Amino acid sequence: MTATHCPYCALQCGMRLDLAAAAPAAPGPAAGPTAVLASARTLPVTVSGRAFPTNRGGLCQKGWTSASVLVAPDRLTTPLVRGADGALHPAGWTETLDHLAERLRAIRNEHGADAVAVFGGGGLTNEKAYQLGKFARLALGTANIDYNGRFCMSSAAAAANRSLGLDRGLPFPVTDLDGAQAVLLVGSNPAETMPPFVAHLAGARARGGLVVVDPRRSATAELAADGAGVHLQPTAGTDLALLLGLAHVVVAEGLSDDDYLAARTSGLERMRGFLAAWWPERTEQVTGVPAAEIRRVARLLADASPARRGGGAYILTGRGLEQSRQGTDGATAAINLALLLGLVGRVGSGYGTLTGQGNGQGGREHGQKADQLPGYRSITDPTARTHVAGVWGVDPASIPGPGKPAVELLDSLGRADGPRALLVHGSNILVSAPDARAVRDRLAALDLLVVSDVVLSETAASADVVLPVLQWAEEEGTMTSLEGRVLRRRRALDGPAGARSELWVMAELARRLEAPGTWSTDPAVVFDELARASAGGRADYAGLSHARLDAHEAATDGADDAGLFWPVPSPEHPGTPRVFLDGFPTADGRARLVSVDHRGPVDVLDADHPVHLVTGRVLQQYQSGAQTRRVPELAAAAPEAYVEIHPLLADLYGVDEGDTVRLTSRRGTALAQARLTRSARPDTVFMPFHWPGAGSVNRLTTSATDPVSGMPEFKVATVRIEVVGPAELDAERALADAHTARELAGGAA
Ligand SMILES: Nc1nc2c(c(=O)[nH]1)N[C@H]1C(S)=C(S)[C@@H](COP(=O)(O)OP(=O)(O)OC[C@H]3O[C@@H](n4cnc5c(=O)[nH]c(N)nc54)[C@H](O)[C@@H]3O)O[C@H]1N2
Ligand SMILES: Nc1nc2c(c(=O)[nH]1)N[C@H]1C(S)=C(S)[C@@H](COP(=O)(O)OP(=O)(O)OC[C@H]3O[C@@H](n4cnc5c(=O)[nH]c(N)nc54)[C@H](O)[C@@H]3O)O[C@H]1N2
Ligand SMILES: [Mo]
C-alpha cells in the first residue's frame, strides 16, 4: 500500500494505491509516436480514497480512474527526435542529451543566453519546480522562464500580495469552511472542478448562505437552489462591478466592521470615494443583476460577519473572476469587500482563492515564475539574490534578472531578438494558451522546441525533441495544497523502462552544459536545498524535510491537522494553518484597501460578434485533456468539444441540439457540437477548453492581458455562431484536420 495524493487538482485528495495482483504488461517500446497498444489495458494499481482533510476519503471520477494514465497506450517510453523526414523517431538517451546540449550551446553562442526559454507547470512537484527555476538561471543562464500558473493563479496572487502582503491561496485550512454561515463564490465551479470540496459548503448551504456568482447556472449554482442560497448571474466580465456594488451597499447601509477597519486596514477614505458611484441601480445597469438582489446578498454576507455576531462568512474567488484583463483588480475588489466586512485574519471567516493545479500553490513559490526566486523572493531584490546565490554556490551577479511573463514570452518566440529555443515541462500550450493559432505560429518559428511529458500531448507532437519523464505514482516528492499544506507524493511503482525523472534530465543537461552548482537526482536532497533557499522568504519551508513530513503524517493519520502549513521557519516550528491572525506582512502591518474600478472585457459586442463566449471546465476532463482524454471512462463521458447555448439563442440562429456550429471571434474559428440548455444566459454561450484542433476554444480567446499580473483574458470573448450544414461539414472538418496536421508537424499555417 502506498499513501499518496491525487495527480490532478490542488485539493490533493488523499489516495491509497495498491499494486494490482497480476503484473501489468509494461507499455512496450513505442514503434513511433503514434504506436498504440491494441490490447486492453491492465491497470498496475488500484486506487482508493484515503482520509485527508480536503477530501475525507472521497474522490471524483478523475481521481478514481487516474491509474489509466500510467498505462496510456501512447505513454512515452523513449526519447523522440525529429528527423530530416519531418517525423519523430525513437532515439537513445545519451545521443539525445548530447545532441540537445550541443544545440542549446550553439543557440546560446549565436544569440545569447536569453535565446533559450523555459516554460514550466503548476503540476510539477516542489522539487521539480524549484530545480527548473535553478536550471534556467544557472545551467542555461536565461532570464526567460515562466509557467502555466501565469494562466491560472497570477491575478489572485498579485492582488493578495498587493492588498495583504502575502499570497497563500487559502490563508486557512479548508475544514474552516465547514461551519460557515455564508460563503460567496465568485467565478468558481467546484462542483465540477473540485467535487470533494463541496462537502465543505454543507454548513453554508444548510443556513441558506451559499452565494454563487456565475453567468451560467453551473453545477455549483444549482447547489444554491431550493433555499440553500442565491445564484447571481451577471453579464460575463462584469464581476468587478458587482463586487463594487456589494461593497457600496455595505458602506451605505452601515454594515461595515468599523473597529476592524480602523485597527487593521489603510486606504478606507480613498476607496469610499470610488465606491460612491456604484449604487445598486447603476450596478444593475452594468451587470444585469437586479438591485434588490445586490442589496439582499450584501446583507446576507454582513449578517454572517463577526461584527454582527454571525456564524462566519467567507469570500472565495475562482478563474471566472480572475482570468480577465482586470483580474487583479477583480480579486482586489473581492478582498476589499472581505476587509469591509472584517473577515480577513480572523478565525471562522476569511477571504481566499481556490488554487487550481495539483501544485499550483507550491509551483508559484519556488522560482519558475519570471520575476521570482525560491521562497517567494523577488529576483530584483539584492538581499534575496545574495541569499539564493549563497545556497547555489554562485556569484549573485550571475543570476539573470526578471524574464517575460508567459503570454509575452510565447508571443516573442522566434521573433527578432526573441528566444530561438523553448523547453516545456508540464504544459500543453498548443491547447491551453490563449489565441492558439498565434501560439502555433510562434512555436513553428522556433529553431528548437523540446517537450518533456508523459504522453505525446499536442505540444509534444509538434516538438523537435520529446523527453519521456516519470509521473505522479512513479515518483517521490512534495506538493503544496490550495491551503498551503505541504504534503508528500510517494512512489508506488516504477515507471516504464526508458522514461526518466526530470531531476535526472536536468542533472544530465546541467553537467553537459558545465553548469555551476550541484544537481542532485534525489528528491529528498533537492527538497533540503529548496528549504535552505526558501529560508527567511515569505514561503518559508526551512523547517521541513521529507522525513519530518513523513513522521508528521504517521502521527496524524489523515486527521484534520495532517500536513504542515507554510511558513515553517524551523524544525521546531509547528507550521502556520492560519496566516494574518496577528497582522498582515505589509510595511505597516495593515491590509490595504486598494481602490479599483471597472473597465470590462476587451472584446465588445458588435454586429459581427453579437454573443458573449465564456470558457471553463467539465468534471471529466482536466485542462488541455492530455491526461484525461487518454482515460477510457472519461473520454466516453466527455468525448468532444461542445458549446452550451440557451434555447432562445439557438432559435435565433436556427441551431438544433447536436448540430455542429462554427464560432468565430476576432482571432479565429472553432467547431463544436451544440448543446441546448437553460443553464446558459440567452446572450452567452459556454465552451470548455479541453479539446485540441478544430474544437479548441483557445482558437477564439484573446491574448490581451492584465497589466499587473500578465493573466490573459481567457474567460470572456465575443463571437458569432453559425450552423455548419451537412454539405459544408466535410469541408470544414478537412480544413480543421489539415490545420491540426500542420500543427502536429510543427509547420506554420
Ligand atoms: N474537472 C476539472 N477539474 C479541475 C480542472 C480541470 O481542468 N477539470 N482544472 C484545475 C485547475 S488548474 C483550475 S485553475 C481549477 C479551476 O476551477 P474553476 O475556477 O472552478 O473553473 P472554471 O470552469 O475554469 O471557471 C469557473 C466558472 O467561471 C465561470 N465564468 C466564466 N466567465 C465568468 C465571468 O465573467 N464571471 C464569473 N463570475 N464567472 C465566469 C464559468 O461559467 C465557470 O462555471 O480547476 C481545477 N480542477
Ligand atoms: N480558454 C481557457 N483556457 C485556459 C483556461 C481556461 O479556463 N479557459 N485555464 C487555464 C489554466 S487555469 C491552466 S492551469 C492552464 C492549464 O493548461 P496546461 O498548462 O496545458 O495544463 P495540462 O493540460 O495539465 O498540461 C500538463 C502537461 O504536463 C504533462 N505532465 C503531467 N505530469 C507531468 C510531469 O510531472 N512532468 C512533465 N514534464 N509533464 C507532466 C501532462 O501530460 C500534460 O501534457 O490552461 C489555461 N487555459
Ligand atoms: Mo489552472
Side-chain angles (χ1 to χ4, degrees):
M1 194 281 275
T2 305
T4 188
H5 296 266
C6 181
Y8 297 113
C9 84
L11 213 50
Q12 284 296 292
C13 294
M15 226 182 214
R16 70 174 273 175
L17 302 179
D18 290 282
L19 285 178
T34 52
V36 171
L37 291 187
S39 62
R41 292 181 229 175
T42 321
L43 297 181
V45 290
T46 53
V47 173
S48 42
R50 177 170 70 88
F52 189 69
T54 61
N55 65 312
R56 299 207 168 113
L59 296 175
C60 76
Q61 195 183 357
K62 292 194 314 300
W64 285 114
T65 55
S66 54
S68 279
V69 187
L70 297 167
V71 286
D74 61 345
R75 181 73 198 270
L76 295 169
T77 57
T78 170
L80 302 170
V81 177
R82 196 169 297 280
D85 61 355
L88 287 170
H89 297 281
W93 273 104
T94 306
E95 53 172 312
T96 303
L97 293 174
D98 285 349
H99 156 83
L100 191 53
E102 196 179 303
R103 292 205 59 191
L104 291 170
R105 204 191 290 271
I107 290 170
R108 179 180 170 152
N109 287 344
E110 192 175 343
H111 303 281
D114 289 344
V116 179
V118 179
F119 201 92
L124 302 178
T125 58
N126 287 316
E127 292 79 356
K128 294 197 285 192
Y130 164 80
Q131 199 78 330
L132 192 63
K134 176 178 161 184
F135 179 80
R137 274 67 175 238
L138 293 195
L140 300 172
T142 181
N144 284 322
I145 174 169
D146 209 48
Y147 79 125
N148 67 4
R150 184 73 63 180
F151 299 159
C152 185
M153 300 316 300
S154 59
S155 287
N161 280 325
R162 188 168 71 175
S163 296
L164 309 174
L166 180 72
D167 156 43
R168 203 183 81 184
L170 295 183
F172 49 81
V174 279
T175 44
D176 278 8
L177 294 166
D178 295 6
Q181 180 176 327
V183 175
L184 170 64
L185 284 173
V186 191
S188 164
N189 183 19
E192 297 214 50
T193 56
M194 303 190 169
F197 175 86
V198 168
H200 300 291
L201 300 174
R205 292 180 66 206
R207 296 155 96 176
L210 177 64
V211 184
V212 179
V213 180
D214 198 310
R216 287 193 304 148
R217 194 163 182 83
S218 63
T220 306
E222 291 288 349
L223 295 174
D226 301 327
V230 186
H231 174 208
L232 302 181
Q233 212 168 352
T235 303
T238 64
D239 316 73
L240 173 41
L242 180 64
L243 289 162
L244 293 169
L246 290 168
H248 174 102
V249 176
V250 168
V251 172
E253 299 194 0
L255 303 173
S256 55
D257 188 338
D258 296 334
D259 293 342
Y260 173 95
L261 288 167
R264 302 201 58 182
T265 70
S266 64
L268 181 61
E269 279 322 306
R270 184 173 146 78
M271 193 189 66
R272 256 201 247 266
F274 275 77
L275 291 181
W278 289 96
W279 34 278
E281 284 72 17
R282 176 180 174 220
T283 308
E284 172 175 341
Q285 281 173 15
V286 174
T287 63
V289 177
E293 290 285 281
I294 296 170
R295 292 197 170 91
R296 176 176 162 217
V297 166
R299 292 172 194 152
L300 180 155
L301 293 171
D303 283 344
S305 70
R308 300 171 73 81
R309 301 213 165 78
Y314 288 87
I315 296 177
L316 304 176
T317 65
R319 302 309 85 74
L321 168 76
E322 300 158 9
Q323 287 172 328
S324 149
R325 68 149 171 166
Q326 57 181 17
T328 305
D329 287 352
T332 301
I335 295 173
N336 288 344
L337 179 61
L339 292 170
L340 282 171
L341 293 167
L343 309 182
V344 191
R346 281 184 130 138
V347 178
S349 287
Y351 158 81
T353 179
L354 295 168
T355 292
Q357 297 182 86
N359 196 28
Q361 179 68 52
R364 68 183 192 260
E365 297 162 5
H366 297 296
Q368 56 176 336
K369 215 171 168 179
D371 54 356
Q372 188 195 65
L373 289 173
Y376 258 151
R377 289 185 152 91
S378 164
I379 204 163
T380 54
D381 170 4
T383 324
R385 294 172 65 85
T386 305
H387 172 81
V388 174
V391 175
W392 287 351
V394 299
D395 176 356
S398 72
I399 300 177
K404 299 183 185 72
V407 174
E408 209 184 304
L409 178 63
L410 293 179
D411 184 55
S412 71
L413 298 176
R415 296 193 193 276
D417 296 331
R420 310 297 323 165
L422 179 71
L423 276 58
V424 180
H425 290 259
S427 182
N428 188 8
I429 39 183
L430 261 184
V431 180
S432 57
D435 196 357
R437 285 175 183 235
V439 172
R440 176 198 61 201
D441 293 347
R442 293 336 309 154
L443 293 185
L446 288 169
D447 297 337
L448 177 65
L449 175 62
V450 184
V451 176
S452 295
D453 208 305
V454 300
V455 291
L456 198 71
S457 72
E458 285 69 23
T459 310
S462 69
D464 302 294
V465 178
V466 181
L467 301 177
V469 294
L470 298 179
Q471 60 173 317
W472 164 62
E474 301 157 354
E475 65 180 4
E476 297 282 334
T478 61
M479 308 281 279
T480 304
S481 77
L482 77 173
E483 335 145 84
R485 199 189 298 253
V486 188
L487 44 91
R488 285 273 283 115
R489 170 180 274 197
R490 295 193 182 86
R491 176 168 61 225
L493 74 172
D494 290 335
R500 295 283 185 274
S501 92
E502 259 155 308
L503 294 181
W504 181 85
V505 171
M506 286 185 253
E508 288 293 311
L509 280 175
R511 182 168 60 75
R512 285 172 170 81
L513 293 168
E514 290 162 24
T518 54
W519 300 89
S520 175
T521 58
D522 179 345
V525 173
V526 175
F527 186 90
D528 289 344
E529 187 184 304
L530 175 166
R532 287 199 302 283
S534 77
R538 280 178 290 170
D540 193 330
Y541 284 44
L544 294 177
S545 63
H546 283 202
R548 181 169 176 202
L549 289 166
D550 288 340
H552 183 81
E553 183 174 323
T556 50
D557 194 27
D560 277 1
D561 57 350
L564 285 151
F565 294 79
W566 67 258
V568 196
S570 71
E572 301 74 36
H573 193 282
T576 316
R578 297 174 190 83
V579 289
F580 308 140
L581 292 184
D582 304 326
F584 296 95
T586 54
D588 59 1
R590 289 166 178 263
R592 300 183 193 105
L593 291 155
V594 179
S595 302
V596 293
D597 217 345
H598 174 72
R599 283 166 292 152
V602 271
D603 263 18
V604 290
L605 295 173
D606 64 15
D608 288 333
H609 311 93
V611 176
H612 283 296
L613 164 74
V614 299
T615 74
R617 297 162 161 80
V618 295
L619 193 149
Q620 293 95 349
Q621 295 287 354
Y622 191 68
Q623 316 273 57
S624 73
Q627 289 151 291
T628 45
R629 282 186 275 117
R630 288 170 166 82
V631 177
E633 296 89 332
L634 303 178
E640 60 177 331
Y642 68 85
V643 55
E644 290 182 2
I645 308 180
H646 192 282
L648 288 175
L649 186 68
D651 240 21
L652 197 63
Y653 295 112
V655 179
D656 286 325
E657 175 75 24
D659 279 355
T660 299
V661 296
R662 177 174 46 235
L663 296 99
T664 306
S665 78
R666 292 173 181 81
R667 273 70 54 188
T669 64
L671 300 181
Q673 198 193 61
R675 283 199 195 162
L676 273 45
T677 165
R678 290 183 188 281
S679 69
R681 274 173 60 115
D683 61 355
T684 306
V685 298
F686 169 77
M687 191 169 158
F689 79 101
H690 310 295
W691 293 276
S696 169
V697 77
N698 278 326
R699 293 184 168 202
L700 305 173
T701 52
T702 167
S703 60
T705 53
D706 180 291
V708 183
S709 64
M711 169 73 85
E713 188 150 270
F714 278 125
K715 275 292 178 279
V716 187
T718 59
V719 294
R720 70 172 166 276
I721 298 172
E722 294 145 308
V723 177
V724 180
E728 301 162 88
L729 194 55
D730 286 344
E732 285 279 347
R733 290 242 163 87
L735 196 65
D737 287 348
H739 277 300
T740 311
R742 272 199 299 273
E743 261 171 34
L744 295 184

